[in-house]
């Protein structure tokens, strides 16, 4: 190595170190901005670093998120694609959901569905995945709901963000806007999206065509140099609840990470000015509380929050408003409404319907608007309100005058004036808000596959009470109307055949037909002589009730077989059986005896609870590894399949 080469290498090393240090320093600054939700500032740095050829899973996550959380979903696609393709083992499953949502915003629905399939496989019990699985034909359902609104662009929109419309009485519209209001001094620019901070404005709704007058700022002490948005009003128009940054008594507060969150406030109208502004008691510096909506009677306040018991980015809550103006304890609206995603911007109509925005329920992309009707002190399964209100972009803050069939909502869809725009609409048709589901199938001979017309089919509820009964037609078909999210049992029978049953759990789809064919056999106890000591599983050719290693819960495949046992016990009400549970030889003999006892109890409990069988007809115990049926005893090397043959239950006829 000569001196020149050595010198060049040293210089290159120094340059590389400097470049690396510079990149790390810039990324550190970007990370600081990102944690404060200053997405635009961070994005500039991230983009610069990415263009210089530097890439990492964290960089692509931050870049994708900086667009995603600013509702620029199409722009996030590139970075989520690079993250998932280049770093397949370095991202959380949540990024699959965000990637799918972003693809939907670009109307790439088939690709989005494939990503959701992957998300479903990896996410476990994530409710958003369950909604996707139960509504595979969601585009068809959304089309059924579509065309029920006629939209109109509004002149009140500015080049800035305009959203969160609300009614004060029936003739005044209140909304939030980041416009400068014609001032020569531009209001403070918010670093999330480089827009001025939001203020609350009002305009009058006039004439038969519901024209809007020129917007004016609300008077009084409502608007500050920070964000004010989303409001709701009492029936007399004298009380307002609204959202504001955590700014009380001219003091701004942040959480432990230095982020200024959102809170709810209440104000009173004095003449034309809003005064006596007070913070609501269930706010916190550590989580956001925002987007209020009053019930018609003013006794319940709905809102969005990410407080401790929320399951997603934000959930919907309700709190009682007492006659003296105090409040009860906030209550989460539950899993039927809330998902692991975002549920936000609630609105309660005069009929008590809940409208809200969500990206956790199945939609067209971004936030979609959903409707849920009051049902037994709760709300029903939510339904997408369809196009053209919903689009591939964010659609939210929906309000409706049900009497006049007019309303407003916000969207960041293309073709508007600014970042978010307010649209008015006229409702042309009623929305579908009740589930319409069916179950149908064909009854056939289990051996010959011959169609069995004029067979009896009974629809039973989860407590085995008969709901409906029919007979198969000339082609062996039957059909029942069923409800959403409900458990049923379908029982088929015909003279000369053994009866059979199959469980059914309906989903949340707007309209859906469950296909449930039934097969009737002539074997089993029909014409056979059985006696005490016989194994019911062998008599009926029932598959062995297997258990997973070291587990005692009933597997889904075992439930089908246990339903057969239940059917026989119902058919022969005097029969009694002894449930005997066995394990393989792995683990100690004492532990295996304990495990088999648990399995026997689980099996008996299932038959009693799911089948409605009297417990006096069932006995049982565990036998551990005392009855190994193959060579797989202690010390013998066996495959998993061979060991599984010993993890079984038997059903011995006692009388």
């Amino acid at each position: 190595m000569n001196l020149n080469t050595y010198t060049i290498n040293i210089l290159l090393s120094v340059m590389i170190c400097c470049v690396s240090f510079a990149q790390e320093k810039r990324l550190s600054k970007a990370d600081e901005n990102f944690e404060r939700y200053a997405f635009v500032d961070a994005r500039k740095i991230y983009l610069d670093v990415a263009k210089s050829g530097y890439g990492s899973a964290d960089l692509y996550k931050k870049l994708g998120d900086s667009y995603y959380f600013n509702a620029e979903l199409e722009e996030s696609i590139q970075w989520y694609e690079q993250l998932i393709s280049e770093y397949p083992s370095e991202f959380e499953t949540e990024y699959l959901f965000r990637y799918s949502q972003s693809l939907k915003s670009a109307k790439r629905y088939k690709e989005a569905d494939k990503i959701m399939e992957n998300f479903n496989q990896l996410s476990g019990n994530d409710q958003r995945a369950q909604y996707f699985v139960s509504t595979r034909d969601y585009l068809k359902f959304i089309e059924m709901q579509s065309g029920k609104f006629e939209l109109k662009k509004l002149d009140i929109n500015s080049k800035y963000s305009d959203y969160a419309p609300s009614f004060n009485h029936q003739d005044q519209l209140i909304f939030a806007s980041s416009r400068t209001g014609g001032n020569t001094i531009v209001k403070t620019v918010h670093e999330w999206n480089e827009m001025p901070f939001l203020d609350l404005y009002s305009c009058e709704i006039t004439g038969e065509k519901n024209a809007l007058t020129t917007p004016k700022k609300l008077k009084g002490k409502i608007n500050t140099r920070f964000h004010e948005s989303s409001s709701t009003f009492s029936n007399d128009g004298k009380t307002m609840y609204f959202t504001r940054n955590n700014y009380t008594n001219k003091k701004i507060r942040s959480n432990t990470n230095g982020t200024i969150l959102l809170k709810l406030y209440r104000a009173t109208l004095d003449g034309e000015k809003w005064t006596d502004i007070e913070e609501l008691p269930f706010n916190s510096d550590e989580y956001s509380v925002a987007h209020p909506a009053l019930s018609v009677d003013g006794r319940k306040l709905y809102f969005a929050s990410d407080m401790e018991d929320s399951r997603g980015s934000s959930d919907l809550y309700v709190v009682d408003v007492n006659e003296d103006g105090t409040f009860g304890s906030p209550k989460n609206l539950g899993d039927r409404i809330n998902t692991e995603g975002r549920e936000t911007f609630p609105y309660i109509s005069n009929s008590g319907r809940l409208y809200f925005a969500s990206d956790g329920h199945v939609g067209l992309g971004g936030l979609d608007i959903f409707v849920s009707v009051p049902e037994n002190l709760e709300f029903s399964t939510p339904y997408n309100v369809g196009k053209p209100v919903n689009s591939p972009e964010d659609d939210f803050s929906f309000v409706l005058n049900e009497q006049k069939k007019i309303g407003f909502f916000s969207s960041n869809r293309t073709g508007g004036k600014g970042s978010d725009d307010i649209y008015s609409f006229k409702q042309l048709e009623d929305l579908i808000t009740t589930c319409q589901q069916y179950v149908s199938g064909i009854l056939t001979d289990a051996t010959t596959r011959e169609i069995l017309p004029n067979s009896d089919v009974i629809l039973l509820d989860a407590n085995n009470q008969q709901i409906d009964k029919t007979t198969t037609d000339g082609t062996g078909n039957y059909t029942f109307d069923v409800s959403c999210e409900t458990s049923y049992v379908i029982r088929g029978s015909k003279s000369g055949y053994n009866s059979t049953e199959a469980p059914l759990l309906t989903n949340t789809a707007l309209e859906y037909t469950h296909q449930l064919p039934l097969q009737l056999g002539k074997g089993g106890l029909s014409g056979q002589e059985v006696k005490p000591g016989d194994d019911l599983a062998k008599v009926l050719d029932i598959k062995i009730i297997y258990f997973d290693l070291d587990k005692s819960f009933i597997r889904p495949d075992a439930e089908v077989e246990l339903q057969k046992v239940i059917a026989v016990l119902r058919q022969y009400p005097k029969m009694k059986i002894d449930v005997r549970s066995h394990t393989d030889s792995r683990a100690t003999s004492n532990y295996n005896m304990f495990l088999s006892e648990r399995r026997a109890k689980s099996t008996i409990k299932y038959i009693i609870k799911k089948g409605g069988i009297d417990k006096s007809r069932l006995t049982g115990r565990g036998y551990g590894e005392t009855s190994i049926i193959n060579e797989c005893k202690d010390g013998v090397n066996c495959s998993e399949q061979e060991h599984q043959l010993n993890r079984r239950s038997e059903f011995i006829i006692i009388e």
Side-chain angles (χ1 to χ4, degrees):
M1 181 182 296
N2 59 42
L3 181 60
N4 288 337
T5 303
Y6 177 78
T7 303
I8 290 171
N9 285 338
I10 288 293
L11 289 173
L12 284 174
S13 298
V14 171
M15 290 171 64
I16 291 170
C17 288
C18 291
V19 170
S20 177
F21 175 77
Q23 287 173 336
E24 289 180 6
K25 186 174 181 180
R26 290 159 72 189
L27 283 174
S28 176
K29 175 62 176 176
D31 287 346
E32 179 185 334
N33 287 341
F34 188 90
E35 293 302 322
R36 292 188 295 111
Y37 302 106
F39 294 134
V40 175
D41 291 347
R43 183 192 301 163
K44 291 176 182 177
I45 300 172
Y46 292 143
L47 283 171
D48 194 25
V49 172
K51 288 177 181 178
S52 70
Y54 179 87
S56 71
D58 184 66
L59 179 70
Y60 295 148
K61 288 178 187 177
K62 297 283 178 60
L63 267 172
D65 286 350
S66 73
Y67 288 107
Y68 185 89
F69 290 112
N70 265 319
E72 301 172 81
L73 273 65
E74 286 191 57
E75 302 299 325
S76 70
I77 292 175
Q78 172 189 351
W79 307 109
Y80 288 152
E81 281 181 345
Q82 288 188 244
L83 168 66
I84 290 166
S85 62
E86 296 178 22
Y87 300 93
S89 61
E90 296 185 39
F91 63 85
E92 299 81 0
T93 55
E94 182 67 22
Y95 281 93
L96 292 173
F97 177 79
R98 293 175 191 170
Y99 183 30
S100 176
Q101 289 291 94
S102 301
L103 288 170
K104 283 184 181 181
S105 73
K107 299 183 180 180
R108 293 162 60 178
Y109 292 113
K110 289 185 178 180
E111 296 172 73
D113 289 353
K114 288 182 180 179
I115 298 299
M116 277 300 291
E117 291 275 7
N118 195 5
F119 176 72
N120 178 44
Q121 293 173 4
L122 297 175
S123 62
N125 294 322
D126 193 295
Q127 191 171 338
R128 294 167 295 176
Q130 300 305 312
Y131 282 130
F132 171 74
V133 170
S134 64
T135 53
R136 299 297 179 119
D137 296 328
Y138 66 92
L139 291 176
K140 170 187 172 184
F141 303 138
I142 291 174
E143 285 298 330
M144 292 171 55
Q145 191 82 303
S146 296
K148 301 181 186 298
F149 298 92
E150 182 179 77
L151 304 190
K152 179 183 176 181
K153 293 182 179 180
L154 298 177
D155 292 335
I156 64 167
N157 289 308
S158 68
K159 66 178 181 179
Y160 297 101
S161 182
D162 303 285
Y163 73 97
S166 65
F167 294 116
N168 185 12
H169 295 300
Q170 302 302 320
D171 56 359
Q172 191 176 55
L173 186 74
I174 313 297
F175 66 96
S177 177
S178 57
R179 67 189 66 197
T180 59
N183 295 332
T184 55
I185 301 175
V186 177
K187 192 179 181 184
T188 308
V189 172
H190 182 40
E191 58 187 354
W192 278 23
N193 53 14
E194 294 185 338
M195 288 276 186
F197 278 80
L198 295 158
D199 280 336
L200 287 174
Y201 289 76
S202 69
C203 53
E204 303 300 319
I205 305 173
T206 64
E208 293 182 1
K209 294 185 178 181
N210 299 300
L212 299 174
T213 61
T214 302
K216 298 179 180 179
K217 276 190 181 182
L218 293 190
K219 296 180 179 180
K221 299 180 179 180
I222 289 294
N223 293 315
T224 66
R225 61 191 182 93
F226 295 100
H227 278 310
E228 284 81 31
S229 70
S230 53
S231 57
T232 188
F233 295 84
S234 59
N235 286 333
D236 61 9
K238 295 183 178 180
T239 301
M240 172 173 58
Y241 297 88
F242 67 99
T243 306
R244 177 191 279 173
N245 278 128
N246 188 353
Y247 182 67
T248 305
N249 297 326
K250 298 183 179 182
K251 291 184 179 180
I252 191 75
R253 293 184 176 85
S254 61
N255 66 6
T256 52
N257 295 323
T259 303
I260 302 170
L261 300 178
L262 300 174
K263 286 186 174 182
L264 287 183
Y265 295 81
R266 180 166 56 188
T268 302
L269 186 63
D270 184 6
E272 294 184 352
K273 295 183 178 181
W274 291 99
T275 61
D276 298 329
I277 296 171
E278 58 178 331
E279 179 184 329
L280 300 194
F282 45 85
N283 288 323
S284 171
D285 293 341
E286 298 304 318
Y287 53 76
S288 284
V289 181
H291 314 315
L294 274 173
S295 61
V296 178
D297 61 9
R299 298 178 65 180
K300 292 185 180 297
L301 181 69
Y302 296 81
F303 60 90
S305 177
D306 59 346
M307 59 180 61
E308 291 181 357
D309 66 339
S310 62
R311 65 178 301 164
S313 300
S314 64
D315 281 10
L316 297 187
Y317 290 80
V318 63
V319 64
D320 289 332
V321 183
N322 301 319
E323 291 186 7
D324 61 358
T326 59
F327 298 89
S329 298
K331 179 183 177 183
N332 190 294
L333 290 191
D335 292 348
R336 186 177 283 180
I337 299 298
N338 293 314
T339 71
E340 289 83 352
R342 291 179 293 169
E343 279 70 47
T344 186
F345 290 102
Y347 171 73
I348 302 295
S349 69
N350 283 344
S351 66
R353 291 184 176 185
L354 168 67
Y355 293 87
F356 65 97
S358 171
D359 65 5
H361 295 276
V362 180
L364 294 172
L367 290 168
D368 271 23
I369 295 166
F370 294 82
V371 58
S372 181
V373 300
E375 185 179 86
N376 298 325
L377 301 179
E378 295 183 349
F379 287 101
S380 69
T381 299
Y383 294 112
N384 193 297
V385 303
K387 298 181 287 187
V389 169
N390 286 324
S391 71
E393 285 81 337
D394 281 336
D395 308 291
F396 55 101
S397 61
F398 178 102
V399 296
L400 169 66
N401 182 325
E402 290 177 325
Q403 184 178 4
K404 294 183 178 181
K405 299 287 186 180
I406 64 163
F408 302 86
F409 73 99
S410 305
S411 178
N412 67 349
R413 65 188 63 189
T414 56
K417 288 185 179 180
S419 173
D420 299 310
D421 284 324
I422 299 172
Y423 294 81
S424 69
F425 63 79
K426 181 178 181 180
Q427 186 172 7
L428 306 176
E429 298 178 48
D430 289 336
L431 292 166
I432 301 172
T433 56
T434 56
C435 172
Q436 301 173 23
Q437 290 196 9
Y438 318 91
V439 57
S440 66
I442 301 176
L443 262 68
T444 57
D445 186 298
T447 303
T448 67
R449 299 298 187 266
E450 176 187 358
I451 290 173
L452 300 177
N454 301 314
S455 302
D456 291 328
V457 186
I458 299 174
L459 178 68
L460 305 166
D461 65 16
N463 297 317
N464 296 292
Q465 300 299 311
Q466 180 174 320
I467 300 173
D468 200 359
K469 183 177 181 179
T470 188
T471 56
T472 56
D473 60 19
T475 60
N477 277 284
Y478 74 91
T479 300
F480 291 114
D481 294 347
V482 290
S483 301
C484 281
E485 296 184 287
T486 307
S487 295
Y488 296 97
V489 174
I490 312 298
R491 179 185 299 167
S493 62
K494 188 176 179 64
S495 177
Y497 287 86
N498 294 321
S499 298
T500 189
E501 291 184 347
L504 170 69
L505 177 61
T506 58
N507 55 36
T508 60
L510 184 64
E511 183 166 307
Y512 193 85
T513 299
H514 303 268
Q515 295 295 333
L516 193 61
L518 300 173
Q519 295 180 353
L520 304 184
K522 291 185 177 181
L525 299 182
S526 179
Q528 290 193 34
E529 181 180 354
V530 294
K531 58 184 182 299
D534 287 346
D535 186 353
L536 192 59
K538 293 179 180 178
V539 173
L540 294 174
D541 194 25
I542 292 175
K543 294 178 182 178
I544 296 174
I545 308 299
Y546 291 122
F547 293 88
D548 289 328
L549 176 63
D550 199 36
K551 304 293 183 183
S552 61
F553 60 83
I554 302 299
R555 295 183 353 183
D557 57 342
E559 287 194 76
V560 178
E561 305 307 318
L562 287 178
Q563 287 294 332
K564 297 177 184 178
V565 176
I566 290 169
V568 172
L569 289 170
R570 288 179 182 154
Q571 188 174 358
Y572 298 92
K574 293 184 179 180
M575 179 180 287
K576 295 182 180 181
I577 62 173
D578 184 64
V579 178
R580 300 178 182 179
S581 180
H582 304 268
T583 70
D584 59 36
S585 61
R586 291 177 288 185
T588 65
S589 58
N590 286 338
Y591 178 81
N592 283 334
M593 187 63 71
F594 170 72
L595 178 61
S596 64
E597 284 284 355
R598 285 167 49 202
R599 290 175 174 172
K601 289 179 180 178
S602 293
T603 303
I604 293 172
K605 181 178 179 181
Y606 182 95
I607 294 172
I608 293 171
K609 185 175 181 180
K610 296 291 185 178
I613 304 300
D614 192 289
K615 62 182 180 180
S616 65
R617 298 172 61 193
L618 298 164
T619 58
R621 57 162 291 195
Y623 288 81
E625 59 180 272
T626 60
S627 298
I628 299 296
I629 61 174
N630 53 22
E631 301 299 321
C632 299
K633 298 182 179 180
D634 289 337
V636 178
N637 187 22
C638 290
S639 67
E640 174 61 29
Q641 290 77 13
E642 290 172 321
H643 278 301
Q644 190 178 67
L645 294 175
N646 292 306
R647 300 196 296 271
R648 67 197 191 279
S649 288
E650 297 169 337
F651 306 91
I652 307 302
I653 299 173
I654 303 301
E655 63 177 76

